[in-house]
């Protein structure tokens, strides 16, 4: 079966590919978005969950990257309000950290490099007088507090793919491109499900697999050279009870974050471990030891391995820069225009700047098309907006009204559904949530299948939500049984 002809075939449905598909579809282009695995199921679901300028990049004079990322932080807090929130960070000072004057100067730049409306500026903190000092060793008495943003990374990818689909894109997860050949009309792609499609142009957004796709699938001799770096994370018992995150300077010059995670836990990351293959990333013993030691340098109550609830690791494809290590390698994106002229490979970039990457690529390929995504809310954040309110302020008002409208439900359930699904939660609540499988409702699972391409329990419990951390073993098994019954062929 031939699925038709498209203006664009985008290979790879991570945040870059999904963002490109959304933007291109909104410009009136006919788009096919395909991925060999789940949407956003690899690198884009294994980040540190931050939308940030990248304070540490100032040390490497990446002022342009930091400026555009800080400006974009404001955009994402607005257009993806239900998936993001401002987040305070505590940066402790001590004899083994960077000097206070240097940090103060860096934070002054961070506060002023770009316009900010939804996050406060930085300030000095006396830790003995502030709740943020509670989990820290008493030798740390001074700190700075600054602000960045948190994001549900996997759901951000889903929201972009949803909007692309609503605007006419064909979205095919778990459908690898096995081979693509050039024709007089562009490309013909053979897919893993036995179907084919044709496209005038191909954009390779396969992330850690980008050079493999370029060389082995597209048959292009000028595949980009990548540096593959594993970033590992620990999910542990909760560190403190406040809302602050911690940014901890390490003796090797790196920084490690401790972030409040899913209310009951803390997220600790990340590492930068050079690897050879992107397949099956898994935290190593050395990475576990490193992250525990990095946190325990600062904590009054040290973490032990028994405190680890879960772990995950993702592979970052960095643009290879000779003579630079992983810390110094830029997080900006690179667009490789292949010699054939109708194919490009996009590598690098950050979750924070995925939308700008899409604008850059499409501006080059289709210079007459118009940008439109900066002020158009993603699905779920399309709640009523009173002029003058930011996206975050509008979200708070909408959520308050949702609690009132559905006062017969436990408000904790209403808030959880609103955070995950945004405006789609209203319809779920109106129609009834169905059976409770121990903390997740069948109406949610039906929504994930019908609207979010979920096919397995892992899709639902670990990417489209993080309920896998909260549900009992019996509840997780019930979800697995529900999916098995839903997808069993009779």
């Amino acid at each position: 079966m031939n699925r038709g002809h498209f203006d664009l075939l985008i290979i790879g449905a991570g945040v870059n590919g999904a963002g490109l598909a959304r933007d291109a579809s909104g410009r009136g282009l006919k788009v096919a978005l395909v991925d060999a695995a789940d949407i956003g199921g690899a690198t884009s679901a294994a980040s540190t969950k931050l939308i940030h300028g990248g304070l540490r990049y100032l040390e490497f004079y990446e002022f342009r990257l930091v400026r555009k990322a800080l400006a974009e932080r404001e955009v994402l807090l607005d257009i993806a309000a239900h998936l993001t929130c401002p987040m305070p960070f505590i940066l402790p000072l001590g004899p083994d950290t960077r000097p206070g004057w240097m940090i103060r100067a860096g934070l002054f730049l961070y506060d002023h490099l770009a316009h900010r409306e939804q996050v406060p500026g930085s300030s000095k903190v006396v830790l003995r007088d502030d709740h943020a000092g509670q989990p820290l060793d008493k030798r740390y008495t001074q700190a700075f507090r600054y602000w960045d943003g948190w994001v549900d990374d996997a759901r951000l990818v889903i929201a972009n793919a949803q909007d692309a689909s609503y605007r006419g894109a064909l979205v095919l997860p778990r459908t690898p491109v096995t081979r693509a050949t050039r024709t007089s009309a562009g490309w013909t792609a053979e897919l893993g499900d036995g179907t084919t499609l044709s496209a005038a142009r191909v954009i390779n957004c396969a992330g850690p697999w980008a050079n493999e796709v370029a060389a082995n699938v597209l048959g292009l001799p000028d595949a980009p050279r990548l540096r593959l770096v594993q970033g590992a994370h620990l999910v542990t018992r909760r560190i403190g009870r406040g809302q602050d995150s911690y940014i901890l300077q390490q003796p090797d010059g790196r920084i490690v974050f401790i972030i409040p995670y899913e209310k009951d836990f803390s997220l600790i990351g990340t590492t930068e471990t050079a690897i050879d293959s992107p397949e099956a990333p898994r935290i190593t013993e050395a990475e576990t030891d490193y992250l525990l030691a990095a946190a325990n340098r600062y904590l009054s109550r040290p973490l032990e391995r028994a405190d680890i609830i879960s772990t995950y690791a993702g592979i970052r494809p960095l643009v290879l820069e000779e003579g630079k290590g992983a810390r110094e390698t830029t997080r900006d994106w690179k667009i490789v225009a292949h010699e054939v002229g109708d194919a490009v490979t996009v590598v690098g970039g950050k979750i924070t700047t995925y939308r700008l990457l899409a604008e850059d690529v499409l501006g080059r390929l289709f210079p007459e098309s118009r940008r439109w995504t900066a002020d158009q809310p993603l699905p779920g954040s399309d709640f009523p907006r009173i002029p003058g309110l930011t996206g975050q302020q509008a979200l708070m008002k909408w959520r308050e009204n949702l609690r009132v409208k559905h006062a017969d439900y436990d408000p904790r359930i209403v808030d959880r559904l609103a955070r995950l699904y945004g405006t789609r939660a209203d319809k779920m609540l109106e129609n009834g949530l169905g059976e409770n499988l121990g903390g997740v409702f069948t109406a949610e699972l039906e929504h994930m299948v019908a609207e979010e391409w979920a096919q397995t329990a892992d899709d639902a419990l670990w990417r489209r939500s993080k309920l896998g951390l909260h549900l009992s073993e019996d509840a997780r098994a019930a979800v697995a049984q529900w999916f098995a019954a839903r997808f069993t062929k009779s």
Side-chain angles (χ1 to χ4, degrees):
M1 181 181 77
N2 189 299
R3 293 181 177 271
H5 183 77
F6 297 84
D7 299 309
L8 275 181
L9 166 61
I10 300 172
I11 302 175
V15 72
N16 289 340
L20 271 160
R22 180 203 185 209
D23 193 340
S25 298
R27 297 184 191 220
L29 300 172
K30 190 176 180 183
V31 176
L33 174 66
V34 300
D35 198 293
D38 188 23
I39 292 173
T43 302
S44 296
S47 77
T48 314
K49 324 300 181 192
L50 300 180
I51 46 172
H52 63 140
L55 181 62
R56 70 183 182 87
Y57 303 147
L58 293 176
E59 286 190 299
F60 305 112
Y61 307 106
E62 293 262 21
F63 299 118
R64 177 177 169 274
L65 174 61
V66 174
R67 179 184 293 109
K68 70 182 178 184
L70 287 172
E72 192 63 10
R73 179 185 66 185
E74 288 285 319
V75 173
L76 295 182
L77 286 169
D78 188 68
I79 68 171
H82 76 292
L83 300 176
T84 63
C85 66
M87 177 172 280
F89 287 78
I90 293 294
L91 204 167
L93 301 176
D96 50 353
T97 67
R98 294 164 179 80
W101 65 265
M102 181 184 295
I103 294 173
R104 186 188 295 273
L107 289 175
F108 179 84
L109 276 175
Y110 207 66
D111 286 342
H112 293 91
L113 273 174
H115 171 76
R116 55 183 168 81
E117 188 176 2
Q118 301 184 85
V119 299
S122 59
S123 59
K124 190 76 176 287
V125 174
V126 178
L127 289 171
R128 68 173 177 272
D129 299 330
D130 193 287
H131 62 81
Q134 178 266 322
L136 299 178
D137 189 280
K138 299 310 176 188
R139 72 179 183 274
Y140 295 102
T141 61
Q142 304 286 326
F144 286 97
R145 177 180 281 117
Y146 74 98
W147 290 75
D148 257 320
W150 173 90
V151 65
D152 188 327
D153 50 7
R155 292 205 64 82
L156 182 69
V157 182
I158 291 292
N160 277 274
Q162 282 178 320
D163 207 16
S165 178
Y166 298 158
R167 297 173 186 276
L170 174 66
V171 180
L172 297 175
R174 293 183 168 88
T175 310
V177 179
T178 57
R179 184 186 179 195
T181 55
R182 296 193 72 234
T183 68
S184 59
W187 293 83
T188 294
E190 300 173 13
L191 307 182
D193 62 0
T195 64
T196 62
L197 60 82
S198 59
R201 294 176 183 270
V202 174
I203 303 180
N204 172 15
C205 287
W209 295 272
N211 54 358
E212 178 183 328
V213 167
N216 299 334
V217 176
L218 301 177
L220 299 174
D222 49 348
R225 299 178 63 198
L226 301 180
R227 178 193 299 274
L228 299 183
V229 176
Q230 175 167 286
H233 296 79
L234 307 176
V235 179
T236 70
R237 63 168 170 82
R238 181 70 181 259
I239 306 299
R241 303 313 305 175
Q243 295 305 307
D244 288 291
S245 295
Y246 296 84
I247 176 171
L248 308 178
Q249 304 171 76
Q250 301 301 316
D252 60 3
R254 298 194 67 252
I255 57 98
V256 168
F257 293 103
I258 302 180
I259 297 170
Y261 191 57
E262 289 293 306
K263 294 185 178 179
D264 300 324
F265 311 102
S266 288
L267 179 65
I268 303 175
T270 183
T271 57
E272 290 184 325
T273 304
I275 60 165
D276 296 323
S277 170
E279 303 300 330
R282 185 183 300 273
I283 191 170
T284 66
E285 291 295 314
E287 288 174 316
T288 300
D289 291 339
Y290 178 87
L291 291 175
L292 288 175
N296 288 340
R297 283 190 181 91
Y298 288 83
L299 297 177
S300 58
R301 179 188 167 195
L303 286 165
E304 302 176 354
R305 282 182 175 254
D307 295 313
I308 299 173
I309 311 299
S310 180
T311 65
Y312 66 86
I315 308 302
R316 295 191 295 274
L318 304 180
V319 179
L320 183 63
E321 296 180 275
E322 297 294 346
K324 290 187 178 182
R327 284 183 63 237
E328 296 85 6
T329 300
T330 183
R331 266 48 174 182
D332 215 345
W333 64 81
K334 182 177 182 181
I335 302 170
V336 178
H338 295 286
E339 291 183 3
V340 295
D342 50 14
V344 299
T345 292
V346 180
V347 292
K350 294 155 43 75
I351 282 185
T352 308
T353 54
Y354 83 90
R355 193 192 63 82
L356 297 177
L357 179 153
E359 287 187 337
D360 186 9
V361 174
L362 295 172
R364 298 186 192 200
L365 297 183
F366 303 94
E368 296 182 0
S369 62
R370 293 184 178 181
R371 301 179 180 185
W372 65 275
T373 57
D375 58 0
Q376 295 298 312
L378 284 160
S381 280
D382 50 342
F383 32 76
R385 305 207 176 200
I386 300 172
L389 290 187
T390 66
Q392 294 295 317
Q393 291 167 334
L395 169 67
M396 292 177 63
K397 284 190 172 294
W398 171 79
R399 196 163 50 198
E400 290 169 4
N401 291 335
L402 191 69
R403 292 191 199 109
V404 173
K405 180 179 179 180
H406 298 287
D408 49 336
Y409 284 98
D410 184 330
R412 291 172 296 183
I413 292 175
V414 176
D415 284 348
R416 181 178 72 78
L417 297 179
R419 179 173 61 84
L420 286 174
Y421 311 108
T423 53
R424 277 58 181 164
D426 192 11
K427 183 178 179 181
M428 284 189 211
L429 293 164
E430 284 184 351
N431 294 341
L433 297 179
E435 184 181 357
N436 187 345
L437 299 181
V440 60
F441 297 92
T442 54
E444 294 181 75
L445 302 181
E446 291 287 359
H447 172 82
M448 292 180 191
V449 170
E451 300 288 335
E452 300 181 354
W453 301 279
Q455 296 184 26
T456 70
D458 278 356
D459 294 350
L461 296 179
W462 296 104
R463 285 184 288 278
R464 284 142 186 88
S465 77
K466 299 298 181 290
L467 288 170
L469 288 169
H470 301 282
L471 300 188
S472 68
E473 184 176 343
D474 287 346
R476 293 195 299 270
V479 174
Q481 290 170 4
W482 186 93
F483 271 95
R486 185 71 163 70
F487 286 95
T488 298
K489 296 180 179 179
S490 55

